[in-house]
Amino acid sequence: MTSIGGAEMVDWNLAVATATRLVRPGPEISREEARAVVAELRRHAKASEEHVRSFTRMIPEGHEPEDTPVLVVDRAGWIRANVAGFRELLRPLLGKMQERRGNGPGGAVLGAVGGKVTGVELGMLLSFLASRVLGQYETFAPATRELPAATKGGGRLLLVAPNIVHVERELDVDPHDFRLWVALHEETHRTQFTGVPWLRDHLQGEIQSFLDETDIDPMTVLERLREAAQSFSGSSRPEGEQGEDDGGRSLVEIVQTPAQREILGRLTAVMSLLEGHADFVMDGVGPEVVGSVAEIREKFQQRRARGASRLDLALRKLLGLDAKLRQYRDGEKFVRAVVDEVGMDGFNRVWTSPNTLPTKAEIAKPADWVARVHRKADS
């Protein structure tokens, strides 16, 4: 998404068209059944609000945060929503790169790619993801005519109906329980951002700092990609000199600057917290309202671990999506350990300010977070 040349850095309309054309069709379902699924998902989303708020105790009694819309979408709707979000989030970076367009050899190489080819590349990536996402809280989503969002700073909850139906059939689980279980996870994300007013701005600030550190000189970009390719091929070091972690880094991680890696460490910790908390909540609420929660969790974890195919595993690795899976696992362990130690209200101190968020090291060692936040506060 950093090609240089033409009036547009990225042809966003072409990205939508490409992704919509390439995305796999959803499961076969009658029109009547589709309507029933959409209606049920909306009911579950509404019911999940009270379940999540009661369990997490994040929103004080009598306080009603700004409402954010719940949209049940198909794969094409998810694509359009995410392109709008990408466009908004990347606007400062792409504007800066537009200003730095040059006539040097690097600029000519990237300029030849152009916004249209970049739009196709983005569309191909989104077509891959669009058949896998069950739900998503879009934190930075701008409102559009087709896709409304919260008035103050955006925000909307998406539930991708065909993907939910596909997975519930693949796992052979109770469809009504599975739909509620998914809604509980995504509602937790909505509660996190509506119940913690500073969280959105903090996360956006970290992401913008990450983007501000991006090398925008074309030759630097080419050199960094060359280093990435060498690392993946194993040719960057003599045999036997590779470090232990070389094989565990994605392309996204390798092309970062040192400053970006530091920011990424903080972002990873926050995302691990948010994803782990959502998993913890949906499993905590589950036994009360989802009769087959144990079966669903076991089958879903197995599906997460194995991936859909060899190609799926390879793409997850290349794009860094395997890191997303670690965030669910490590974050859930952190939340569970802290709640066991200091209770839910003690855990909720994590939402006090950016200073009380766990570090990446503390995600792996919850006792260190408890010692830092609780013992200092209580001393």
Side-chain angles (χ1 to χ4, degrees), residues 84-93 140 204 207-208 211:
F86 278 143
R87 189 172 190 170
E88 184 69 21
L89 199 59
L90 293 174
R91 190 184 304 276
L93 173 64
F140 311 109
Q204 185 175 33
I207 293 172
Q208 289 304 325
L211 295 177

Side-chain angles (χ1 to χ4, degrees), residues 273-313:
L273 171 69
L274 298 180
E275 296 294 357
H277 183 237
D279 267 12
F280 176 80
V281 170
M282 73 179 184
D283 285 346
V285 174
E288 297 294 326
V289 296
V290 181
S292 58
V293 64
E295 178 192 2
I296 291 173
R297 164 57 70 188
E298 181 181 359
K299 289 183 175 180
F300 194 75
Q301 289 286 56
Q302 292 173 356
R303 183 181 186 274
R304 269 183 183 171
R306 68 175 181 264
S309 65
R310 283 183 175 270
L311 176 62
D312 184 66
L313 290 171

Side-chain angles (χ1 to χ4, degrees), residues 29-50:
I29 186 172
S30 69
R31 182 169 299 181
E32 292 74 18
E33 186 179 1
R35 289 198 187 102
V37 170
V38 170
E40 184 174 15
L41 286 172
R42 286 176 176 153
R43 290 196 303 272
H44 286 331
K46 184 63 178 176
S48 295
E49 285 186 35
E50 181 57 35

Side-chain angles (χ1 to χ4, degrees), residues 65-80:
E66 182 187 13
D67 190 30
T68 53
V70 176
L71 307 178
V72 181
V73 298
D74 58 11
R75 290 170 177 174
W78 181 88
I79 289 167
R80 289 193 296 272

Side-chain angles (χ1 to χ4, degrees), residues 12 16 66-90 122 126 129-130 133-160 185-194 199-201 203-204 207 271 274-275 324:
W12 300 104
V16 172
E66 182 187 13
D67 190 30
T68 53
V70 176
L71 307 178
V72 181
V73 298
D74 58 11
R75 290 170 177 174
W78 181 88
I79 289 167
R80 289 193 296 272
N82 275 265
V83 166
F86 278 143
R87 189 172 190 170
E88 184 69 21
L89 199 59
L90 293 174
L122 175 59
L126 290 172
L129 297 174
V133 176
L134 301 182
Q136 174 184 359
Y137 183 76
E138 279 204 294
T139 314
F140 311 109
T144 67
R145 184 164 48 188
E146 294 179 322
L147 298 163
T151 55
K152 297 179 181 178
R156 57 182 166 232
L157 182 61
L158 304 179
L159 295 172
V160 190
H185 181 102
E186 302 308 333
E187 175 58 35
T188 302
H189 287 316
R190 184 164 67 154
T191 300
Q192 290 163 349
F193 284 95
T194 57
L199 184 58
R200 179 190 182 276
D201 289 342
L203 193 59
Q204 185 175 33
I207 293 172
M271 297 311 297
L274 298 180
E275 296 294 357
K324 177 85 166 176

Side-chain angles (χ1 to χ4, degrees), residues 265-266 268-273 276 326-338 357-370 372:
R266 297 196 298 268
T268 298
V270 174
M271 297 311 297
S272 296
L273 171 69
R326 291 196 298 273
Q327 289 171 4
Y328 287 108
R329 183 183 65 244
D330 297 343
E332 196 273 341
K333 288 180 179 177
F334 170 84
V335 175
R336 187 172 300 280
V338 172
L357 291 171
T359 65
K360 189 176 179 180
E362 288 171 340
I363 288 288
K365 295 183 178 180
D368 289 354
W369 180 86
V370 173
R372 176 172 67 89

